[in-house]
Amino acid sequence: VNLHGEDEKTHFTSKYADNFVISPDGKWVAFTELFKVYIAAFPQTGKSIELSASTKAVPVTQVARDAGINLHWSGDGQKLHWTLGERYFTTELTDSFAFLGEPSQEGDQEELSPMDTTGIQVGLEADFDKPEGILALQGARIITMKEDEVIENGTILIENNRIQAVGATDAIEIPSSAEVIDVSGKTIIPGLIDVHAHAQHFREGITPQKHWPYYANLAYGVTTMHDPSANTEMVFSYAEMIKAGEMVGPRVFSTGTVLYGAEGDFKAKVNNLEDARSAIRRTKAFGAISVKSYNQPRREQRQQIIQAAREEEILVVPEGGSFFFHNMSMILDGHSSIEHNIPVAPLYDDVIQLWSASKTTYTPTLIVSYAGLSGEYYFYQHTNVWEKEHLLTFTPRGVIDSRSRHRTMAPEEEYENGHILTSESCKALADAGVKVNLGAHGQLQGLGAHWELWMLEQGGMSSMEALKSATMNGAYYLGMDKHIGSLEAGKLADLVVLDANPLDDIRNTEQVKYTMVNGRLYDAATMNEIGLSDQPRSKFYWEQNKYNQKFDFHMETNSFTSPHCHCGVH
């Protein structure tokens, strides 16, 4: 279009290409197709051209082996730059197209330079955030998750962001410089680990200063999240800002964009081992500890992803899609876990013995269970979720009301033969040695993790077994059991202080008094930082605009419409 938005012309159409960037002189266009980077000539033909990696109508060449983002040209239009993770790449047009090279004395053009696979390391570094000082939590019952250890009158000593000592109160020597908080009568457990936590990481553009799903999860004691499907650039930038103390949130890990096998402009084409290696390198470059193998149609493709991931020491999270035999092949091939429940119940000995012989873990996500009514409906039916003030403090009212007030009501046997029957299979697998993990699927930030925990207990797990699924099992699955998952000296200081004992009633996990993540202690009711630091929480957007969606006290009739709006809504 021209500068007035008129005289529209279509130069290119494409099935898969996107991120078009035209050179300053208008002679070239850079684009990405299925993550890889290309340059094409930009002819002024007056007709649209179908553009792809295999286009023959104009010269097209691949310039990035694996992937690239932030495409931008040099001022003279002779070089294209892009980034991948922490590395910055450049290619010159003369290195990309043979006909632009200088002829040699024999009259032949010089050979093209190979694609740069190393780039320049950007070298951007930030200090890892951690508090400074010594804090003692004194007098609580401590469920350490070191085997079945419970210390009835215990103290935890924390220095900066690490646990220095855990034990009986009369056996812990507290330095005079320590800040001491009396937690007598309360119970301390490790921070909850949600290994299948979709935390609204699909946004693009400007990163918010505060992300309410993080606050909701911390307020309910979730200190580590693993998101198995997210916008790559967004989720890893969030994770790094949390590490640097620029945002408040749990520890965040992710697969980034899934390795999608079905049709679409973001699919991961895997037709051989090198394709799989390229996809893994691309994902790992952003900081992923895992990839999600999602709907790759052929078993050999899934095996190629596993092999490439082993070479790069990356976990492979699969998507079973509610196909039983698909799930079984995933176990046989050595996936890191099975995500979402097996769509049949009960499971018989052939499945249990096979699974227990593997090292594949299980994240059943009963909250969205297959082959029956999803577990979340049980809690919407049996509790008035819209009345939970703790939840509403950290969640937009519209999110809660739309799901909880208009609730599905079903006979109890629908749940007994649904998520509860599936949960009984989780208990059988756990008894056979399979590590069952907690994954709340982002259905309801924070509280949903507790629902998942309680549903594991509904299937027959003891409270201690269910708590292990929510802590140590998840740490083992993520490969981080040396650092998180239990309350032991030397581990990171991630913990939850509860007002009641979950070993008496698993539903007491909802009664969160304090949450500590990386040594920083927060009052769960307000998410103000306390302890070694006194930092009040800033307001959420729905608190700043004097608009609350609760039905009985709208502070303004419509804060999103100007007073001169002519939309007809007042």
Side-chain angles (χ1 to χ4, degrees):
V1 296
N2 63 20
L3 294 179
H4 299 287
E6 301 167 344
D7 192 23
E8 180 178 314
K9 293 183 177 68
T10 300
H11 298 278
F12 295 108
T13 59
S14 184
K15 184 176 182 180
Y16 297 120
D18 56 15
N19 297 326
F20 303 97
V21 182
I22 301 170
S23 63
D25 58 12
K27 294 180 179 180
W28 305 92
V29 60
F31 64 95
T32 59
E33 180 179 283
L34 303 181
F35 304 103
K36 299 185 186 300
V37 180
Y38 302 86
I39 298 175
F42 193 162
Q44 302 293 328
T45 63
K47 294 182 179 180
S48 63
I49 297 172
E50 176 67 21
L51 187 62
S52 73
S54 57
T55 292
K56 303 300 182 185
V58 295
V60 179
T61 191
Q62 181 180 340
V63 295
R65 178 188 62 170
D66 298 321
I69 62 170
N70 302 318
L71 310 185
H72 56 289
W73 291 91
S74 60
D76 61 5
Q78 298 304 300
K79 297 178 183 179
L80 179 70
H81 311 287
W82 66 91
T83 64
L84 179 61
E86 62 174 355
R87 296 193 175 271
Y88 187 87
F89 295 84
T90 296
T91 189
E92 297 197 27
L93 286 174
T94 52
D95 291 334
S96 303
F97 295 96
F99 60 82
L100 296 179
E102 291 292 335
S104 66
Q105 291 182 352
E106 291 77 18
D108 296 328
Q109 290 181 319
E110 293 184 0
E111 293 185 3
L112 295 179
S113 301
M115 281 187 286
D116 182 3
T117 60
T118 303
I120 300 171
Q121 187 165 349
V122 175
L124 178 63
E125 294 183 357
D127 291 332
F128 196 110
D129 175 66
K130 60 182 179 182
E132 294 183 357
I134 301 174
L135 179 68
L137 300 174
Q138 188 177 61
R141 176 185 300 102
I142 304 174
I143 304 173
T144 67
M145 287 300 141
K146 182 182 178 182
E147 302 300 332
D148 292 338
E149 180 183 52
V150 179
I151 303 170
E152 284 300 332
N153 180 8
T155 292
I156 301 179
L157 189 66
I158 299 127
E159 183 173 2
N160 301 338
N161 67 335
R162 292 273 178 181
I163 297 172
Q164 295 300 310
V166 180
T169 295
D170 57 8
I172 300 293
E173 183 177 347
I174 300 176
S176 58
S177 60
E179 175 83 18
V180 180
I181 296 179
D182 184 3
V183 285
S184 300
K186 303 190 185 302
T187 300
I188 301 178
I189 62 174
L192 301 182
I193 300 173
D194 187 343
V195 304
H196 195 121
H198 298 304
Q200 299 191 14
H201 292 131
F202 279 105
R203 65 178 294 132
E204 295 181 347
I206 297 175
T207 300
Q209 291 178 314
K210 56 193 308 182
H211 192 47
W212 69 259
Y214 290 168
Y215 283 83
N217 278 281
L218 284 177
Y220 277 94
V222 177
T223 57
T224 298
M225 309 176 74
H226 175 255
D227 191 333
S229 180
N231 178 304
T232 294
E233 293 85 353
M234 190 57 67
V235 69
F236 294 120
S237 65
Y238 279 24
E240 290 181 359
M241 284 193 290
I242 291 170
K243 290 178 184 177
E246 298 295 327
M247 290 181 73
V248 173
R251 303 180 189 279
V252 173
F253 304 95
S254 180
T255 62
T257 301
V258 298
L259 304 187
Y260 197 53
E263 191 59 50
D265 63 1
F266 67 100
K267 71 177 181 179
K269 186 171 65 174
V270 178
N271 288 324
N272 52 56
L273 182 55
E274 187 52 41
D275 283 347
R277 286 169 173 156
S278 179
I280 300 296
R281 288 192 298 259
R282 162 174 58 82
T283 305
K284 186 178 180 180
F286 287 98
I289 64 166
S290 57
V291 296
K292 186 166 189 176
S293 179
Y294 197 121
N295 284 345
Q296 292 292 334
R298 300 193 309 276
R299 188 174 179 184
E300 68 180 61
Q301 293 169 302
R302 302 192 292 273
Q303 291 170 337
Q304 288 161 357
I305 290 172
I306 291 174
Q307 175 59 33
R310 285 196 183 115
E311 294 172 2
E312 294 287 343
E313 298 183 322
I314 289 284
L315 304 175
V316 181
V317 179
E319 174 70 34
S322 191
F323 292 102
F324 173 72
F325 292 109
H326 198 171
N327 287 137
M328 294 302 102
S329 73
M330 289 174 172
I331 296 172
L332 289 167
D333 289 342
H335 285 82
S336 305
S337 73
I338 298 299
E339 301 293 300
H340 300 303
N341 67 291
I342 301 298
V344 296
L347 298 180
Y348 296 127
D349 284 346
D350 55 346
V351 174
I352 293 172
Q353 290 174 20
L354 168 66
W355 211 326
S356 64
S358 75
K359 293 184 178 180
T360 301
T361 67
Y362 187 26
T363 311
T365 63
L366 300 167
I367 200 167
V368 289
S369 57
Y370 290 134
L373 198 59
S374 289
E376 67 175 315
Y377 296 114
Y378 177 90
F379 295 98
Y380 285 126
Q381 178 167 330
H382 291 82
T383 56
N384 291 350
V385 177
W386 68 89
E387 295 177 351
K388 291 183 177 292
E389 292 299 328
H390 186 58
L391 179 67
L392 292 168
T393 301
F394 308 103
T395 311
R397 185 82 207 196
V399 172
I400 304 302
D401 285 339
S402 61
R403 303 198 67 169
S404 63
R405 286 180 180 262
H406 302 168
R407 50 188 172 180
T408 298
M409 305 295 283
E412 289 299 310
E413 57 263 29
E414 291 290 334
Y415 301 111
E416 294 167 3
N417 296 318
H419 77 271
I420 295 176
L421 185 63
T422 300
S423 183
E424 291 171 359
S425 293
C426 296
K427 166 63 173 172
L429 288 167
D431 288 345
V434 176
K435 292 188 182 296
V436 179
N437 313 313
L438 183 147
H441 201 253
Q443 295 304 108
L444 187 62
Q445 303 295 333
L447 181 56
H450 293 264
W451 290 356
E452 187 73 15
L453 178 60
W454 304 345
M455 284 186 278
L456 291 171
E457 193 253 3
Q458 282 183 315
M461 285 191 186
S462 67
S463 294
M464 183 67 81
E465 289 172 326
L467 286 170
K468 283 182 179 178
S469 293
T471 53
M472 272 306 294
N473 287 4
Y476 170 85
Y477 165 47
L478 297 177
M480 300 177 189
D481 44 313
K482 292 183 180 179
H483 300 283
I484 58 176
S486 64
L487 301 175
E488 299 179 69
K491 288 198 170 184
L492 290 165
D494 294 359
L495 56 84
V496 188
V497 179
L498 303 173
D499 281 327
N501 185 2
L503 298 180
D504 293 338
D505 183 348
I506 194 63
R507 298 201 180 191
N508 286 338
T509 61
E510 187 180 357
Q511 298 187 43
V512 179
K513 177 67 174 177
Y514 305 121
T515 298
M516 176 177 284
V517 59
N518 200 46
R520 293 197 180 277
L521 187 66
Y522 295 90
D523 175 8
T526 62
M527 279 302 295
N528 295 333
E529 187 178 349
I530 58 175
L532 297 177
S533 177
D534 185 12
Q535 296 289 334
R537 170 182 64 81
S538 59
K539 292 182 178 181
F540 294 109
Y541 68 86
W542 63 84
E543 296 173 312
Q544 295 187 60
N545 61 13
K546 297 183 179 180
Y547 178 79
N548 191 305
Q549 293 173 318
K550 189 171 181 179
F551 293 154
D552 55 357
F553 61 89
H554 285 287
M555 296 175 70
E556 289 186 3
T557 56
N558 193 336
S559 65
F560 304 108
T561 304
S562 75
H564 303 292
C565 172
H566 300 289
C567 64
V569 178
H570 301 285

